[in-house]
Amino acid sequence: SAVISQKPSRDICQRGTSLTIQCQVDSQVTMMFWYRQQPGQSLTLIATANQGSEATYESGFVIDKFPISRPNLTFSTLTVSNMSPEDSSIYLCSVEQGADRPKNIQYFGAGTRLSVL
Amino acid sequence: GQNIDQPTEMTATEGAIVQINCTYQTSGFNGLFWYQQHAGEAPTFLSYNVLDGLEEKGRFSSFLSRSKGYSYLLLKELQMKDSASYLCAVSAYSTLTFGKGTMLLVSP
């Protein structure tokens, strides 16, 4: 399975600022995903990021708040913009490896723990 | 819409067998996944079912009934390290929808 590195692993930020989270994969992958996991909750998909196209956002998430870049097949960033305490959460990236299709297994990074004061 | 239900918490003793149930109502279905997540760590893939029946993988087995919208994860010979959250997730249209997870506590 792919090895996925996320940076930073955790951060404490002031409200109104922005944080960019990086996700690096050790192999080329077509589909990358960004999730949010709020305290005591399960994972909620924010968006799907495919190389060479705009990210596809799920209901309740918008590009202005969570801009995503996908410059190549091994890297993506998620920015949490104009943060408020409600954005405090764990943010995870995941990848789907083509070799696993049609199972569509997703492999996850360790996550970024964000606290907004 | 998607709705996935699983118990919030379960407890069991070391060496025992535990079954974690998951029911779902989803629009579209490409398969059902179980993930394990230890506190502060990433979810890790455990099992996948797309056809009805039982899939066995060592101490872990997973069952699916598509007509009933029902799955379970069976853990045998429980070990302390099995204490974790177990997430049921349904795949549809290339995305995964996760349940809220079942926190399993294994005691000596």
Side-chain angles (χ1 to χ4, degrees):
Chain A
S1 62
V3 176
I4 304 162
S5 303
Q6 261 188 257
K7 288 188 210 178
S9 59
R10 59 179 64 234
D11 208 341
I12 300 172
C13 301
Q14 297 295 322
R15 72 170 66 209
T17 62
S18 298
L19 176 72
T20 295
I21 302 168
Q22 299 179 3
C23 182
Q24 179 76 52
V25 191
D26 68 344
S27 58
Q28 293 186 338
V29 294
T30 302
M31 299 186 76
M32 296 181 76
F33 305 86
W34 287 99
Y35 289 85
R36 181 172 72 183
Q37 187 173 28
Q38 295 179 306
Q41 301 295 313
S42 191
L43 285 76
T44 302
L45 181 64
I46 297 171
T48 302
N50 293 333
Q51 196 268 335
S53 62
E54 294 288 327
T56 303
Y57 289 82
E58 297 299 303
S59 176
F61 298 97
V62 295
I63 188 171
D64 289 346
K65 176 67 176 177
F66 298 101
I68 287 170
S69 79
R70 181 79 202 273
N72 57 53
L73 291 174
T74 62
F75 187 77
S76 178
T77 67
L78 170 76
T79 298
V80 186
S81 303
N82 188 24
M83 288 183 284
S84 67
E86 292 72 33
D87 295 319
S88 298
S89 188
I90 300 172
Y91 293 85
L92 301 106
C93 73
S94 74
V95 304
E96 186 182 281
Q97 288 199 284
D100 289 330
R101 285 183 170 267
K103 288 184 179 180
N104 303 337
I105 298 170
Q106 290 186 25
Y107 300 94
F108 287 83
T112 297
R113 290 178 173 273
L114 171 61
S115 296
V116 184
L117 305 178
Chain B
Q2 319 282 63
N3 187 42
I4 301 173
D5 287 316
Q6 48 182 133
T8 304
E9 288 182 354
M10 297 184 72
T11 58
T13 53
E14 207 171 5
I17 299 172
V18 71
Q19 178 175 312
I20 303 175
N21 295 324
C22 171
T23 58
Y24 64 91
Q25 294 119 25
T26 60
S27 52
F29 182 83
N30 295 127
L32 188 140
F33 295 78
W34 285 95
Y35 281 82
Q36 180 191 60
Q37 187 178 26
H38 286 99
E41 298 183 11
T44 55
F45 168 74
L46 286 179
S47 71
Y48 167 81
N49 294 73
V50 67
L51 300 175
D52 290 353
L54 189 68
E55 293 282 341
E56 297 188 77
K57 199 192 259 189
R59 293 190 300 116
F60 294 1
S61 303
S62 57
F63 171 84
L64 174 68
S65 169
R66 288 171 297 170
S67 62
K68 295 182 179 178
Y70 169 68
S71 174
Y72 67 72
L73 180 70
L74 193 71
L75 293 79
K76 303 176 187 175
E77 301 169 17
L78 281 173
Q79 303 174 8
M80 298 296 290
K81 68 178 182 179
D82 297 329
S83 291
S85 182
Y86 291 85
L87 307 173
C88 173
V90 174
S91 174
Y93 309 115
S94 297
T95 62
L96 283 182
T97 301
F98 284 83
K100 292 188 176 181
T102 298
M103 182 64 67
L104 174 66
L105 178 62
V106 180
S107 57

